[in-house]
């Protein structure tokens, strides 16, 4: 059974919370996690990279000089690949980089990542959010009290405008909803801070 410390917004301890075993105590599957991470990185690529071939570059419609009698190698166009300003031979073209992955494997990868974080004691539960207006100073003090590290992932069960606006100015703090949590977000975070309703949502969705 994995447990996580429960704190308030000042960093004071409020006890511990038992994390659901079906999500936070599974045997991590490194291969599936790696595959899920590669899929997420590939799906984030736009695939709009492009280069022009010799049929697309401007100019070069006329043969630069006659075929014979000049003493030079025969040429058909000044836009051939070996000329400066010529077309690319095997350059990039627009394509779809997205990868598919079975739903069961995606769920296993997410449970594995959550279990790794729980086993390494990198999950902290936020008891309640007592913040009525945006104050970045409050969030900064909270993270310093936790000694959260450089990259922090804050997972909310539902939107909280004051907290989200408070953390927006902190470049290494990412605030997401529990339904949008991903393997990449978990693996790149030094500390994962979850609200109680976020833990319940994750357990219900992926348990």
């Amino acid at each position: 059974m994995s447990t996580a410390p429960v704190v308030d917004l000042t960093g004071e301890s409020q006890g511990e919370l038992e994390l659901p075993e079906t999500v936070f105590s599974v045997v991590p599957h490194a291969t599936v996690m790696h595959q899920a991470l590669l899929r997420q990185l590939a799906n984030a690529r736009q695939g709009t990279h492009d280069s022009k071939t010799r049929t697309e570059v401007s100019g070069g419609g006329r043969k630069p000089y006659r075929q014979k009698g000049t003493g030079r190698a025969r040429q058909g166009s000044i836009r051939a690949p070996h000329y400066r300003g010529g077309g690319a031979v095997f350059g990039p073209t627009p394509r779809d980089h997205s990868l598919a992955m079975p739903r069961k494997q995606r769920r296993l990868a997410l449970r594995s990542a959550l279990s790794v974080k729980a086993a390494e004691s990198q999950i902290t539960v936020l008891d309640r959010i007592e913040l009525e207006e945006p104050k970045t100073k409050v969030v900064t003090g909270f993270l310093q009290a936790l000694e959260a590290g450089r990259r922090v992932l804050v997972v909310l069960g539902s939107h909280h405008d004051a907290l989200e606006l408070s953390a927006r100015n902190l470049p290494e703090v990412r605030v997401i909803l529990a339904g949008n949590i991903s393997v990449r977000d978990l693996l790149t975070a030094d500390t994962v801070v979850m609200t109680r309703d976020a833990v319940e949502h994750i357990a219900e969705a992926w348990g």
Side-chain angles (χ1 to χ4, degrees):
M1 173 69 71
S2 297
T3 60
V6 180
V7 298
D8 59 17
L9 203 53
T10 63
E12 292 293 329
S13 176
Q14 302 295 319
E16 289 188 342
L17 177 68
E18 291 186 356
L19 301 175
E21 293 185 0
T22 55
V23 178
F24 294 91
S25 298
V26 303
V27 179
H29 200 300
T31 303
V32 174
M33 277 195 297
H34 180 251
Q35 184 179 350
L37 178 61
L38 291 183
R39 172 182 173 270
Q40 188 173 355
L41 293 173
N43 292 353
R45 296 182 65 177
Q46 291 182 336
T48 55
H49 41 34
D50 193 16
S51 61
K52 293 183 178 181
T53 64
R54 62 184 296 170
T55 64
E56 297 171 323
V57 293
S58 61
R62 177 177 63 86
K63 188 174 176 67
Y65 46 82
R66 59 195 176 95
Q67 181 83 344
K68 293 178 177 294
T70 65
R72 302 176 63 184
R74 51 197 167 186
Q75 303 293 335
S77 171
I78 60 171
R79 291 297 177 257
H82 58 281
Y83 275 103
R84 180 177 180 178
V89 183
F90 297 117
T93 56
R95 54 165 291 195
D96 181 13
H97 291 277
S98 62
L99 300 175
M101 188 175 182
R103 181 169 177 265
K104 286 186 177 180
Q105 289 188 2
R106 297 199 306 267
R107 294 169 66 90
L108 175 59
L110 195 57
R111 288 197 299 267
S112 296
L114 289 167
S115 298
V116 168
K117 289 298 178 182
E120 295 178 353
S121 301
Q122 294 180 352
I123 295 180
T124 300
V125 177
L126 181 58
D127 189 22
R128 55 188 177 276
I129 305 176
E130 297 176 345
L131 190 65
E132 297 181 357
E133 59 180 359
K135 284 188 178 296
T136 302
K137 185 177 181 179
V138 173
V139 177
T140 303
F142 169 68
L143 298 178
Q144 289 176 349
L146 289 184
E147 298 181 354
R150 183 164 174 241
R151 295 187 181 92
V152 181
L153 177 66
V154 181
V155 186
L156 304 178
S158 59
H159 281 293
H160 192 286
D161 293 337
L163 180 60
E164 293 177 37
L165 292 174
S166 299
R168 189 169 60 179
N169 292 331
L170 304 175
E172 298 296 337
V173 177
R174 177 170 168 79
V175 182
I176 62 172
L177 293 178
N180 299 330
I181 196 170
S182 68
V183 173
R184 180 185 181 184
D185 291 331
L186 290 169
L187 295 182
T188 56
D190 297 322
T191 300
V192 180
V193 178
M194 295 184 178
T195 57
R196 286 182 179 270
D197 54 346
V199 175
E200 294 172 0
H201 179 90
I202 290 173
E204 182 180 353
W206 291 287

